[in-house]
Amino acid sequence: MNYNHPLRSGSTVTIRVMCATVFVLFCFCWLYFFQADQLAMTQHVLSHGLTRYSPLAGALIITTVLLLLQLAVSALVKLTKRSHALTYVPSMMLLALVTEISQQIESGEGVSLWGWVLPLLVLLAWGAAVVVARFLQEAETDRNFSLVSRPMWINALLMALQIICVAWIGNTNAVYHYRMQTETLLASGKYEKALDVGRESLESDANLLMLRMYALARMNALGERLFEYPITADVDQILPTNHRTQMYYCPEDSLYRFLGGRPAEPMAPLHFLELLERRDSVVAPQVADYKLCALLIDRQIDRFASEIGRYYDLSDRLPKHYREALVLYRHLRSNPVVVYHHAVTDEDWRNLQELESQYADPTERKGRVEDQYGNTYWYYYEYL
């Protein structure tokens, strides 16, 4: 009597179940955990803001559609043994293109020529591989398709290679994903969570800094925490007023309502802030903070010192970076227009000077200062 179980000997069901399980798990996780914010951005742009993407529903629907495509391809090409995993290539290619093309749609560039040529080349190579695999399948003598069989491991390797290709073709840029996630949280009013995105990373860009400044302003923390983040933009990129930076998912109208007005035409952010200041008899605190932080980013420390008194009582406790800037200004100028003292900040400044004096090598000195003072305006002003 033969007691061999069909799934361990003559049946290829084990191979099909393994490939399907790997595909479904990878596809769902890729869409739900890593690409959800980017797909939300794509749907927002394509629908002109009329519909909203659901990460769970979107991941389930796309995974199901791609699995149905694989079943159709499998029924067409009839690869069942060592090369069954090749039936997942069209689905994997579409999965990669969904995220790659979405970035180009969001940026308004359209799909590049390479975005069309690469998939065509892959499909041509896949078609040739299918023809060869069909020919070789007739000559295969394998009868064992268990979990430890050679055909099983060949299919597992083919699935792994396809997963690597999806990660290579799809958008895995960390800063881009930080920006998508930050915009999604800002649109929901979750400002503190938006500031936690990419918090431990030194990677950033002008758009991400602009979004973080908006979140900080919403929390009345621009002067307190701005230089704790990488400053990767100049003063002309801190607002989307001249289209050098942009907001896609989080509406720009929310930012302009918060500031109290919007520009009638493209203009430099600092000029826009000055126009808002001239218009109102009482300057809004958020406008004042944006202007003061713009001066600090631009290292206009003299102008900062001369204007901060218009918005803040210097006898009260100032935000951290404003205190640092005024102490720095006092030590840089022999005849300062403002002489500001703050016991704790003055002590921190003396400690910084002592630390710098211990290292003659500029590179080593910069590294040591960054370790202890990398989140201060002093480090930004002197070293970046």
Side-chain angles (χ1 to χ4, degrees), residues 254-316:
S254 65
L255 169 60
Y256 291 133
R257 282 196 301 269
F258 174 65
L259 292 175
R262 66 176 303 131
E265 59 185 21
M267 63 181 66
L270 189 55
H271 179 58
F272 170 65
L273 294 169
E274 291 170 342
L275 290 178
L276 292 177
E277 184 180 17
R278 293 175 200 161
R279 185 198 64 185
D280 301 326
S281 57
V282 178
V283 181
Q286 59 269 30
V287 174
D289 281 332
Y290 258 106
K291 180 181 177 182
L292 291 173
C293 287
L295 295 176
L296 291 182
I297 290 174
D298 208 31
R299 292 183 173 82
Q300 297 186 47
I301 196 167
D302 292 281
R303 185 178 172 187
F304 170 85
S306 65
E307 295 196 15
I308 188 174
R310 298 169 53 191
Y311 316 111
Y312 283 89
D313 183 352
L314 300 187
S315 62
D316 291 340

Side-chain angles (χ1 to χ4, degrees), residues 128-351:
V130 166
V131 172
V132 173
R134 282 291 304 274
F135 175 77
L136 294 177
Q137 183 171 262
E138 302 300 325
E140 290 179 15
T141 58
D142 295 294
R143 292 293 181 269
N144 181 13
F145 302 109
S146 65
L147 290 174
V148 295
S149 65
R150 183 177 179 181
M152 178 67 73
W153 286 105
I154 292 175
N155 278 281
L157 176 61
L158 290 174
M159 293 299 295
L161 290 175
Q162 291 176 68
I163 290 173
I164 292 172
C165 288
V166 170
W168 174 63
I169 296 173
N171 178 24
T172 56
N173 181 278
V175 174
Y176 183 82
H177 283 279
Y178 293 157
R179 182 157 66 92
M180 299 301 101
Q181 189 175 353
T182 300
E183 285 213 42
T184 302
L185 292 169
L186 285 178
S188 303
K190 300 175 181 178
Y191 305 117
E192 187 62 55
K193 288 185 177 181
L195 290 169
D196 287 337
V197 176
R199 186 70 177 86
E200 303 301 321
S201 174
L202 295 178
E203 295 182 277
S204 182
D205 64 7
N207 283 295
L208 183 55
L209 177 64
M210 180 265 295
L211 296 171
R212 284 170 170 168
M213 289 186 68
Y214 176 43
L216 287 170
R218 281 286 190 174
M219 299 181 63
N220 194 30
L222 260 178
E224 189 72 26
R225 297 168 56 185
L226 173 59
F227 293 94
E228 296 176 4
Y229 295 89
I231 305 300
T232 50
D234 58 43
V235 71
D236 287 333
Q237 297 172 297
I238 63 172
L239 290 171
T241 54
N242 54 5
H243 308 308
R244 291 190 61 189
T245 51
Q246 291 180 292
M247 300 170 70
Y248 294 97
Y249 192 79
C250 180
E252 290 184 2
D253 285 344
S254 65
L255 169 60
Y256 291 133
R257 282 196 301 269
F258 174 65
L259 292 175
R262 66 176 303 131
E265 59 185 21
M267 63 181 66
L270 189 55
H271 179 58
F272 170 65
L273 294 169
E274 291 170 342
L275 290 178
L276 292 177
E277 184 180 17
R278 293 175 200 161
R279 185 198 64 185
D280 301 326
S281 57
V282 178
V283 181
Q286 59 269 30
V287 174
D289 281 332
Y290 258 106
K291 180 181 177 182
L292 291 173
C293 287
L295 295 176
L296 291 182
I297 290 174
D298 208 31
R299 292 183 173 82
Q300 297 186 47
I301 196 167
D302 292 281
R303 185 178 172 187
F304 170 85
S306 65
E307 295 196 15
I308 188 174
R310 298 169 53 191
Y311 316 111
Y312 283 89
D313 183 352
L314 300 187
S315 62
D316 291 340
R317 187 181 184 278
L318 296 176
K320 170 188 170 184
H321 298 314
Y322 298 168
R323 299 197 307 268
E324 294 167 348
L326 288 175
V327 169
L328 172 64
Y329 167 74
R330 193 185 83 226
H331 287 87
L332 289 177
R333 302 293 181 258
S334 56
N335 294 304
V337 297
V338 173
V339 179
Y340 177 80
H341 290 279
H342 184 270
V344 175
T345 310
D346 286 340
E347 179 63 24
D348 287 340
W349 171 263
R350 286 190 291 271
N351 292 338

